[in-house]
Amino acid sequence: SFDYYYESVAGAPGNGDVTYYTDVMETMIEDHLRDLFQLDSKVAITFDENYTLTAVEVDVVSTTSDSVANLRQEIAKEYKISEDRIKVFINGYQTK
């Protein structure tokens, strides 16, 4: 669904609706993580000028540290971003 959505709105941010595009992308990542890991999270993403995903911050309500490594790997794989560009927080505290 991510690829389908991405293809369908690839030109949309250029039309000035970057906030909407960002909100939808963040919600899609949150939904993906909920489906895969049964975790509630708040996601914040950063794009470059070409609307390529450059950074992701995930704030997880609560989980074990085992899930965090998997969470980071999954985001990196699914959204084609380096793991070192993904910050994960558990209950507001940043993980390593």
Side-chain angles (χ1 to χ4, degrees):
S1 65
F2 172 79
D3 292 333
Y4 174 78
Y5 177 78
Y6 186 79
E7 291 298 321
S8 69
V9 298
N15 298 333
D17 206 359
V18 177
T19 303
Y20 175 75
Y21 180 78
T22 302
D23 289 346
V24 170
M25 293 294 292
E26 289 172 346
T27 300
M28 287 182 64
I29 295 172
E30 290 166 1
D31 290 346
H32 179 74
L33 297 177
R34 185 178 303 110
D35 291 346
L36 205 58
F37 296 103
Q38 292 75 49
L39 296 173
D40 285 325
S41 62
K42 180 66 182 144
V43 172
I45 58 176
T46 306
F47 290 107
D48 65 13
E49 64 278 359
N50 297 316
Y51 301 100
T52 301
L53 196 59
T54 58
V56 178
E57 283 191 14
V58 183
D59 194 353
V60 179
V61 175
S62 68
T63 186
T64 64
S65 57
D66 293 344
S67 314
V68 173
N70 295 339
L71 188 82
R72 191 175 281 118
Q73 290 169 355
E74 177 62 24
I75 294 169
K77 180 182 74 169
E78 184 73 18
Y79 302 102
K80 298 172 181 65
I81 182 171
S82 172
E83 284 188 41
D84 65 350
R85 301 291 300 158
I86 301 167
K87 293 181 182 175
V88 178
F89 297 82
I90 299 177
N91 300 324
Y93 295 96
Q94 187 169 358
T95 63
K96 293 184 178 184

